[in-house]
Every structure is written in structure tokens, then in C-alpha cells.
Amino acid sequence: MSNRGNLIILSAPSGSGKTSLAERVVRNLGNIRFSVSHTTRDRREGERHGHEYFFVSVPEFKEMLAGSEFLEWAEVYGNFYGTSRQFVESQLEAGCDVLLDVDIQGAFRVSEQMPEAILVFVLPPSYRELEERLRGRGLDNEEVIRTRLKIARDEIKSYKKYDYVIINRDLAQSVLELKAVILASRCKVKSQIREAEPIVSTFLEKQI
Ligand code: 5GP
């Protein structure tokens, strides 16, 4: 009896605090892995190959694409991003939950292929706060910030298509909420069968 892991897809406008949220949850929940995407975008200060992303060239990305290595891929802000099919499948197969951080196009593409995936949208508290966070983190130039804000205005309209919404006013509270979503999914009957069946059989043996 196989218990596949759960696939949790996290989307949010850039600057919503989604990366910190994902990192904290993966660090303190256990039995959940973050899917590290491949991207052709330039590495930001502090980012490490294989940690935040696998940084690849455009030809390398296209070669992987031709080899059907991506579960989904998208062009976001002029760069390519893709999710490794092999990583996601092997973790789920081994019973481990997987957390994906993908844009809304990626979220819907994955959910078409895997309808059981749980879609979580992270909302920043307001447009103004998102703008302040994007400027405050000092990672992008003005043009990039404007593009990200414009895309955020479009992306945010899709939140109702997700299963859950987390309003990220306070990181600690958002961590609790995302953990609650993941823990609840682990308690679903289909996720508990492997452990529940042996318990149930001990009752069936006791025929009076
Ligand atoms: P950033 O460059 O700020 O790290 O990410 C930009 C956007 O790309 C974010 O919305 C992020 O969710 C999205 N993204 C990151 N990895 C993937 C991926 O593998 N597939 C898709 N579709 N989007 C991704």
C-alpha cells in the first residue's frame, strides 16, 4: 500500500515573503523537501547554486526542456524557470512531501497534471507594503521593481483559484498557517492508510 507524499504549491508576488516562509516551514516540519528549480536568471548576492536555484545557461535549459526533464516551466520576468520532474516524482514516491515555489502559470500547469496538489497563495498585506519590501530588500533595480509590481497586480487576481490563502502580515503566524495546511493534508484518509490499516487489523483479529 503506497502512501505518496503531498505536493504543496506556493505562489505569491515577488517580495511577499514566500521564500522565508517556505524555508522556515521546510526547516521545522520534517518529511518535506523544497523543490529547487532551474533558472536562467542571474544569481543574486548570497544565492548558492543548488540551494535557491540551479543556475543554468539558456542552452542548458533548452536541452533539459528538449529532454522532457521539467514537470512545468515558464518564462517569468524574461528568464526561464523550470521544476525538475525527476526530483518531485521521486520524493513523492518515497512518501516525502514536496513544496514548490512557482508562479501562477506553473501552479496551474502542475495542478492540471496532478489534481491532488494543494495550491496555496501568499498575499502581502497591501500593495504599498509590497512596494516597500521590494525597494527595501535592495536586490533589484527600479525597472525590475516596476515590472514585478505590474506583474503582481495581475497575479493577485488569481488568488481565488487557489485552495488556501495566507496573508503574510507576520512571518511567525504565516509559518503556523502553512504548517497547519500541510499537517491537515497529512491527516487525510488517503495519506493515513498505511499507518491506519495495521491498527484497524488489530481490532479485526479480536473476534469474540
Ligand atoms: P525570483 O527570480 O524572484 O526568485 O522568482 C521569480 C518568480 O519565478 C517567482 O514568482 C517564483 O515563484 C517563480 N518561479 C521560481 N521557480 C519557478 C519554477 O520552477 N517554475 C515556475 N513556473 N515559476 C518559478
Side-chain angles (χ1 to χ4, degrees), residues 152-168:
R153 281 199 293 266
D154 286 337
E155 282 185 337
I156 242 154
K157 294 179 200 147
S158 296
Y159 85 93
K160 286 187 190 155
K161 296 182 190 152
Y162 282 64
D163 300 309
Y164 296 94
V165 179
I166 293 176
I167 302 172
N168 193 17

Side-chain angles (χ1 to χ4, degrees), residues 34-119:
F34 180 71
S35 162
V36 179
S37 298
H38 287 72
T39 184
T40 60
R41 89 149 155 71
D42 290 337
R43 197 186 302 202
R44 294 184 188 129
E45 211 182 305
E47 286 183 331
R48 284 167 292 158
H49 183 77
H51 192 254
E52 287 80 9
Y53 287 105
F54 292 105
F55 295 94
V56 293
S57 65
V58 173
E60 280 169 330
F61 191 94
K62 289 193 169 161
E63 202 180 312
M64 293 180 73
L65 196 56
S68 299
E69 290 184 43
F70 296 125
L71 177 62
E72 65 74 42
W73 68 276
E75 192 175 348
V76 188
Y77 314 124
N79 297 304
F80 294 119
Y81 294 82
T83 303
S84 161
R85 183 190 302 281
Q86 197 274 335
F87 177 82
V88 172
E89 270 302 333
S90 62
Q91 294 300 321
L92 294 177
E93 204 45 48
C96 188
D97 291 348
V98 176
L99 189 59
L100 290 190
D101 167 354
V102 295
D103 78 324
I104 58 170
Q105 318 167 60
F108 299 137
R109 259 181 229 142
V110 175
S111 113
E112 272 165 24
Q113 299 173 61
M114 300 182 173
E116 70 285 2
I118 299 158
L119 301 181

